[in-house]
Amino acid sequence: MVFHLDKCIGCHTCSIACKNIWTDRKGAEYMWWNNVETKPGTGYPNKWENQEIYKGGWEKNKKSVSLKGTGKSKGLGNIFHNPYLPKIDDYYEPFTYRYANLTNSPEGDDQPTARPVSQITGKNMDIKMGPNWDDDLSGSHDFAQQDINLESLSQAEKEAMFQLEQMAFFYLPRICNHCLNPACVAACPSGAIYKRGEDGIVLINQEKCRAWRMCVTACPYKKAYFNWNTGKSEKCILCYPRLEAGHAPACMHSCVGRIRYLGVILYDADKIEEVAGSSEANLIDRQKEMLLDPFDEEVIKQARKNGIADSTIEAAQKSPVYKWVKEWNMALPLHAEYRTLPMLFYVPPLLPVMASLSNQDNQQQEKIHEKGKQWNVEWIYDTSTDDLWSSIRQVRFPVKYLASLFGAGDERKITQIIEKLMAVRIYRRWKTVGDITETKADKTLEKAGLTRELADNIYRLTTLAPFEERFVIPPAHREEAVEMMKDTGVHKGSVGFKI
Ligand code: SF4
Ligand code: SF4
C-alpha cells in the first residue's frame, strides 16, 4: 500500500468505516485498526513510537536481528509477566453516553443530560482521553511537544516550530503494515499469527491464540490489540473477505482524500533476514532492492515457476504501489529502523501552507526567512518564483522531523521526494496558470530528476487516477497459495511470494 500524505484531510472516514465493520463489538471498543494521527503528536496508543517504553520491533545483533522486548526465547522464560504492554489509559477507556436519559427521563425541573459511561465497567466516568484527543494539535503542550521525533531537533528548532504563527501539522493515517518481517508473527509463542502466502496479509488465528499478548509488545506500531472480552488478540485483516471478492478494503474504499493505493508487489523472500539485519543507513534502500521488477523476464519466469498466475504478474506490472515506491522513488516506509520491513509506504507531505504565505507582509516574510535559516532547511529551490514558491522552504516542517518518521534519520531521502513533489507542482503551474516560464519549469524538473512524461504520470496518479488505477489486484487465487506451499518449500507461517 501507499498513502499519499498531502492528500489526507484528516476526516477520519477511514477509521469509522473500519470500526463499523470490524471493531464495533464487546472487547474491541478501544481498538482502532485504522487510526489517523495528527503529527507532531504522540499518537495512539500514547507515545507508541517510544520503544524505550514498549520495546517493540527488532534490534540488530551480530548475526542478524532479534526481537527487542519479547519473543519465543526471551518471552518464554518470562511468559507470565510482560511489563511492556500498553495499559488501557495509554489507549483510552472507551466510553459512550447514556443517550436514553435524554428521551426517557421523567418530567422534572432539570434538563436531562447524557452522562458518559465506561464501555468496560458500565459505570459513570469522567473522560480524560480519547483516540484523537490531540487532533489538529489540540493540547499541543501535552501531546505534540512530547513527540519523540522532535528529539533530533535543537531547542531553538523546537521553539520555532511551536510558535503560534509557525505551527503546522499533517495527518498520519495508520493501519497494520502487513510487514515482510513481522515482529508479531515471530513473537507469538502459540504460532497463532501467520502471513498468508498468496497475498502477504498478516492474520491471527483466533482458535490458536492463547492470550500471551507477545504480539502486542512486539509490534512496534502497536497494531495488534487484545480483546478483553474474548481473550484473543486481534488486528487489521486488510479486509481480506472483501479483497477475495475483488473489493477494496473498507478504509481505502471510503477514503475521501483518495490518498490510498493498493497493488501487487513481487519480492525476493530469500533476502528478508539479510535485509532486516542491514545497517540503519541502508535499510530503506535494501528493502526497496528486494522489490522485484515485474517486467524483468527472469522475474516473470521464476514467478511462473513458483505457481504465480499470469493475472497476478499483470497486476504487479500495473501496480500503483510499484510506481510510487520503486519506479519514482517517492514513497518511504514509516520507521524503517524498527526492521519489520513494512509494506505500507508513505509519500511524505509537502505541506506548503501557501495560502497563508501569500497573505503575509514583508516583515513577516523576513521573520520567517530568518527562522528558515535557523532551521537549516535550505534545501533550495532556486528555480522557483520569489513571490510564491521560494517561501515554502521557510515555513514547512524541519526536514529532520520528517526524516525521523520516514527516512530512518536520512534527510536526503526526504528532500529528494520533496523536490520531486515541488517540481511537479511548478511544472503544472506553468501548464495551467502560466505565471512560471517554460524554461523554469523544465529546469526544475531536471533538477529533481524528472522528465515531462514522468511529471505527467505522477500528476495523473496523484490527482486524476480513477479507482481502477489506484486499486489494482488480481482475482483471488487460492490455488496459488496451495501451489507455493507445495512446490517451493515456503512453509506455514512463512512469508509472501517466494521468487
Ligand atoms: S505492523 Fe502489522 S504485521 Fe507489522 S508487526 Fe505490527 S501487527 Fe505485525
Ligand atoms: S478517509 Fe482518507 S482523507 Fe480521510 S482521514 Fe482517512 S486517509 Fe485521510
Tab-separated table of all heavy atoms in Angstrom, residues 58 175-185 193 195 202 215 218-224 235-236 340 342, ligand 1:
chain	number	residue	atom	x	y	z
A	58	TRP	N	12.483	-5.018	16.136
A	58	TRP	CA	13.700	-5.818	16.160
A	58	TRP	C	14.904	-4.945	16.451
A	58	TRP	O	14.915	-3.766	16.142
A	58	TRP	CB	13.931	-6.437	14.787
A	58	TRP	CG	12.832	-7.301	14.261
A	58	TRP	CD1	11.735	-6.893	13.559
A	58	TRP	CD2	12.720	-8.729	14.376
A	58	TRP	NE1	10.949	-7.982	13.227
A	58	TRP	CE2	11.536	-9.120	13.705
A	58	TRP	CE3	13.512	-9.711	14.978
A	58	TRP	CZ2	11.121	-10.441	13.617
A	58	TRP	CZ3	13.097	-11.032	14.878
A	58	TRP	CH2	11.909	-11.388	14.219
A	175	ILE	N	-2.475	1.875	9.535
A	175	ILE	CA	-3.070	0.554	9.721
A	175	ILE	C	-1.909	-0.418	9.913
A	175	ILE	O	-0.748	-0.004	9.851
A	175	ILE	CB	-3.964	0.119	8.527
A	175	ILE	CG1	-3.137	-0.052	7.250
A	175	ILE	CG2	-5.078	1.106	8.286
A	175	ILE	CD1	-3.943	-0.649	6.097
A	176	CYS	N	-2.201	-1.693	10.118
A	176	CYS	CA	-1.119	-2.680	10.176
A	176	CYS	C	-0.351	-2.619	8.859
A	176	CYS	O	-0.952	-2.490	7.786
A	176	CYS	CB	-1.727	-4.063	10.390
A	176	CYS	SG	-0.570	-5.398	9.999
A	177	ASN	N	0.958	-2.701	8.942
A	177	ASN	CA	1.799	-2.586	7.736
A	177	ASN	C	1.951	-3.905	6.982
A	177	ASN	O	2.654	-3.949	5.977
A	177	ASN	CB	3.191	-2.095	8.127
A	177	ASN	CG	3.147	-0.735	8.764
A	177	ASN	OD1	2.918	0.259	8.083
A	177	ASN	ND2	3.339	-0.665	10.078
A	178	HIS	N	1.364	-4.969	7.496
A	178	HIS	CA	1.494	-6.300	6.885
A	178	HIS	C	2.947	-6.529	6.446
A	178	HIS	O	3.251	-6.775	5.263
A	178	HIS	CB	0.471	-6.474	5.757
A	178	HIS	CG	-0.934	-6.386	6.288
A	178	HIS	ND1	-1.574	-7.451	6.868
A	178	HIS	CD2	-1.777	-5.334	6.422
A	178	HIS	CE1	-2.764	-7.076	7.310
A	178	HIS	NE2	-2.910	-5.790	7.060
A	179	CYS	N	3.801	-6.404	7.471
A	179	CYS	CA	5.255	-6.370	7.270
A	179	CYS	C	5.801	-7.654	6.640
A	179	CYS	O	5.214	-8.738	6.781
A	179	CYS	CB	5.943	-6.183	8.623
A	179	CYS	SG	5.296	-4.789	9.563
A	180	LEU	N	6.968	-7.500	6.002
A	180	LEU	CA	7.665	-8.674	5.456
A	180	LEU	C	8.394	-9.437	6.552
A	180	LEU	O	8.654	-10.628	6.429
A	180	LEU	CB	8.706	-8.234	4.417
A	180	LEU	CG	8.203	-7.678	3.093
A	180	LEU	CD1	9.359	-7.452	2.157
A	180	LEU	CD2	7.228	-8.653	2.465
A	181	ASN	N	8.772	-8.721	7.588
A	181	ASN	CA	9.482	-9.348	8.700
A	181	ASN	C	8.710	-9.046	9.989
A	181	ASN	O	9.194	-8.345	10.873
A	181	ASN	CB	10.905	-8.767	8.777
A	181	ASN	CG	11.754	-9.469	9.810
A	181	ASN	OD1	11.614	-10.668	10.013
A	181	ASN	ND2	12.610	-8.710	10.482
A	182	PRO	N	7.478	-9.560	10.067
A	182	PRO	CA	6.571	-9.125	11.128
A	182	PRO	C	7.005	-9.584	12.523
A	182	PRO	O	7.105	-10.793	12.778
A	182	PRO	CB	5.228	-9.744	10.731
A	182	PRO	CG	5.527	-10.788	9.718
A	182	PRO	CD	6.900	-10.575	9.183
A	183	ALA	N	7.229	-8.619	13.388
A	183	ALA	CA	7.646	-8.941	14.757
A	183	ALA	C	6.530	-9.671	15.497
A	183	ALA	O	6.788	-10.528	16.347
A	183	ALA	CB	8.027	-7.656	15.484
A	184	CYS	N	5.283	-9.370	15.151
A	184	CYS	CA	4.149	-10.018	15.816
A	184	CYS	C	4.169	-11.523	15.560
A	184	CYS	O	3.922	-12.323	16.458
A	184	CYS	CB	2.836	-9.395	15.335
A	184	CYS	SG	2.606	-9.495	13.540
A	185	VAL	N	4.459	-11.896	14.319
A	185	VAL	CA	4.496	-13.322	13.958
A	185	VAL	C	5.606	-14.025	14.746
A	185	VAL	O	5.397	-15.088	15.337
A	185	VAL	CB	4.746	-13.500	12.433
A	185	VAL	CG1	4.955	-14.979	12.091
A	185	VAL	CG2	3.591	-12.935	11.619
A	193	ILE	N	-0.043	-16.470	14.747
A	193	ILE	CA	-0.020	-15.398	13.736
A	193	ILE	C	0.754	-15.881	12.519
A	193	ILE	O	1.793	-16.527	12.642
A	193	ILE	CB	0.611	-14.103	14.301
A	193	ILE	CG1	0.071	-13.819	15.705
A	193	ILE	CG2	0.348	-12.928	13.379
A	193	ILE	CD1	0.509	-12.516	16.303
A	195	LYS	N	1.590	-15.102	8.031
A	195	LYS	CA	1.491	-14.217	6.864
A	195	LYS	C	1.050	-15.075	5.684
A	195	LYS	O	1.724	-16.035	5.328
A	195	LYS	CB	2.863	-13.580	6.614
A	195	LYS	CG	2.855	-12.481	5.563
A	195	LYS	CD	4.166	-11.708	5.610
A	195	LYS	CE	4.289	-10.733	4.452
A	195	LYS	NZ	3.403	-9.575	4.570
A	202	VAL	N	-1.196	-10.381	7.029
A	202	VAL	CA	-0.825	-10.978	8.319
A	202	VAL	C	-2.094	-11.158	9.160
A	202	VAL	O	-2.840	-10.194	9.380
A	202	VAL	CB	0.203	-10.090	9.057
A	202	VAL	CG1	0.496	-10.635	10.451
A	202	VAL	CG2	1.488	-9.977	8.242
A	215	CYS	N	2.435	-10.428	20.886
A	215	CYS	CA	2.319	-9.653	19.636
A	215	CYS	C	2.088	-8.176	19.933
A	215	CYS	O	2.560	-7.311	19.202
A	215	CYS	CB	1.169	-10.198	18.781
A	215	CYS	SG	-0.398	-10.309	19.663
A	218	ALA	N	5.435	-6.906	20.755
A	218	ALA	CA	6.405	-6.989	19.655
A	218	ALA	C	6.098	-6.030	18.513
A	218	ALA	O	7.020	-5.510	17.884
A	218	ALA	CB	6.454	-8.416	19.116
A	219	CYS	N	4.830	-5.783	18.221
A	219	CYS	CA	4.537	-4.884	17.102
A	219	CYS	C	4.944	-3.462	17.482
A	219	CYS	O	4.343	-2.851	18.370
A	219	CYS	CB	3.052	-4.898	16.736
A	219	CYS	SG	2.693	-3.623	15.501
A	220	PRO	N	5.953	-2.901	16.821
A	220	PRO	CA	6.408	-1.568	17.205
A	220	PRO	C	5.405	-0.484	16.812
A	220	PRO	O	5.507	0.644	17.261
A	220	PRO	CB	7.710	-1.417	16.406
A	220	PRO	CG	7.571	-2.325	15.248
A	220	PRO	CD	6.709	-3.467	15.698
A	221	TYR	N	4.443	-0.840	15.952
A	221	TYR	CA	3.435	0.137	15.512
A	221	TYR	C	2.176	0.045	16.383
A	221	TYR	O	1.220	0.758	16.165
A	221	TYR	CB	3.082	-0.119	14.041
A	221	TYR	CG	4.294	-0.021	13.151
A	221	TYR	CD1	5.059	-1.144	12.830
A	221	TYR	CD2	4.719	1.214	12.669
A	221	TYR	CE1	6.189	-1.050	12.044
A	221	TYR	CE2	5.846	1.317	11.885
A	221	TYR	CZ	6.580	0.185	11.576
A	221	TYR	OH	7.712	0.289	10.801
A	222	LYS	N	2.181	-0.886	17.305
A	222	LYS	CA	1.056	-1.140	18.215
A	222	LYS	C	-0.237	-1.365	17.444
A	222	LYS	O	-1.282	-0.758	17.717
A	222	LYS	CB	0.919	-0.008	19.252
A	222	LYS	CG	2.074	0.001	20.247
A	222	LYS	CD	2.068	-1.212	21.164
A	222	LYS	CE	3.386	-1.479	21.837
A	222	LYS	NZ	4.356	-2.284	21.069
A	223	LYS	N	-0.131	-2.264	16.471
A	223	LYS	CA	-1.293	-2.572	15.649
A	223	LYS	C	-1.842	-3.972	15.919
A	223	LYS	O	-2.658	-4.479	15.159
A	223	LYS	CB	-0.945	-2.378	14.169
A	223	LYS	CG	-0.952	-0.904	13.755
A	223	LYS	CD	-2.360	-0.333	13.857
A	223	LYS	CE	-2.403	1.178	13.688
A	223	LYS	NZ	-3.744	1.732	13.969
A	224	ALA	N	-1.353	-4.617	16.981
A	224	ALA	CA	-2.006	-5.844	17.461
A	224	ALA	C	-2.663	-5.457	18.784
A	224	ALA	O	-2.048	-4.777	19.610
A	224	ALA	CB	-0.986	-6.948	17.665
A	235	LYS	N	-6.189	-7.952	15.016
A	235	LYS	CA	-5.515	-6.896	14.268
A	235	LYS	C	-6.202	-6.688	12.921
A	235	LYS	O	-7.077	-7.475	12.548
A	235	LYS	CB	-4.035	-7.246	14.067
A	235	LYS	CG	-3.809	-8.516	13.254
A	235	LYS	CD	-2.341	-8.790	13.055
A	235	LYS	CE	-1.741	-7.873	12.031
A	235	LYS	NZ	-2.394	-7.947	10.713
A	236	CYS	N	-5.743	-5.673	12.210
A	236	CYS	CA	-6.245	-5.384	10.858
A	236	CYS	C	-6.093	-6.623	9.979
A	236	CYS	O	-5.029	-7.243	9.946
A	236	CYS	CB	-5.450	-4.213	10.281
A	236	CYS	SG	-5.435	-4.106	8.488
A	340	THR	N	10.919	-4.184	10.708
A	340	THR	CA	9.881	-5.168	10.381
A	340	THR	C	9.623	-5.198	8.869
A	340	THR	O	8.803	-5.974	8.406
A	340	THR	CB	8.548	-4.856	11.095
A	340	THR	OG1	8.106	-3.575	10.653
A	340	THR	CG2	8.687	-4.853	12.603
A	342	PRO	N	8.102	-2.868	6.726
A	342	PRO	CA	6.678	-2.600	6.487
A	342	PRO	C	6.353	-2.555	4.996
A	342	PRO	O	7.166	-2.111	4.195
A	342	PRO	CB	6.452	-1.210	7.095
A	342	PRO	CG	7.718	-0.799	7.735
A	342	PRO	CD	8.799	-1.720	7.323
B	1	SF4	S1	2.515	-3.691	11.692
B	1	SF4	FE1	1.188	-5.492	11.479
B	1	SF4	S2	2.467	-7.097	10.528
B	1	SF4	FE2	3.848	-5.453	11.233
B	1	SF4	S3	4.494	-6.173	13.267
B	1	SF4	FE3	2.708	-4.851	13.590
B	1	SF4	S4	0.891	-6.185	13.603
B	1	SF4	FE4	2.644	-7.357	12.746
